[in-house]
Amino acid sequence: MTDATPTPATEAGATPDAPDYDAMTRDIADVPAVEVITTVAVHLLSAAAVNLGLDKPDSEHKDLDEARKLITALAGLVTASATEISSFHAAPLRDGLKSLQLAFREASIVPDEPGQGPGEKFTGPVFG
């Protein structure tokens, strides 16, 4: 029988070789709002592009229902936050959003009427 007195690290379930995640974690309070907003927007852009099949040539993955939801969420975020994050950050997000909206219209078998496409209730009708 060994005398195994638990150390604080092992009491919490961590091992002496495990990284200190608390030290590695960035405090969310230290992250500027513009960084959080743009990061979320880029994730929405990327996810929508994948669901439109734009991630690679000849992509077989297309889920227009999911893409519509993501584009609408992105449009709401970009529209609502544009004045808060400055045009320096908002302009590229708007460009990406418009590209996704046009790609959605192109990918649709039956295109939405102008103003009825994903996110267009926030951005207005999108034309090529």
Side-chain angles (χ1 to χ4, degrees):
M1 197 184 268
T2 61
D3 183 25
T5 306
T7 63
T10 57
E11 284 177 4
T15 63
D17 297 335
D20 182 5
Y21 290 110
D22 289 335
M24 293 170 46
T25 303
R26 186 172 174 190
D27 188 1
I28 195 70
D30 294 335
V31 181
V34 67
E35 188 175 329
V36 174
I37 293 166
T38 55
T39 299
V40 170
V42 168
H43 285 290
L44 290 168
L45 277 162
S46 299
V50 168
N51 280 291
L52 287 172
L54 302 176
D55 57 328
K56 56 187 173 187
D58 302 325
S59 177
E60 294 179 18
H61 180 81
K62 280 192 183 176
D63 189 338
L64 296 183
D65 184 50
E66 289 294 303
R68 177 183 294 276
K69 294 172 190 173
L70 293 162
I71 293 168
T72 300
L74 175 64
L77 176 64
V78 170
T79 302
S81 65
T83 58
E84 303 297 326
I85 63 173
S86 80
S87 59
F88 177 78
H89 295 286
L93 296 175
R94 282 192 198 109
D95 290 344
L97 171 60
K98 182 178 180 181
S99 295
L100 288 173
Q101 288 172 313
L102 291 171
F104 184 92
R105 186 174 303 280
E106 190 175 301
S108 297
I109 295 170
V110 180
D112 296 315
E113 293 293 320
Q116 301 301 310
E120 291 183 359
K121 66 182 174 185
F122 298 111
T123 64
V126 176
F127 301 100

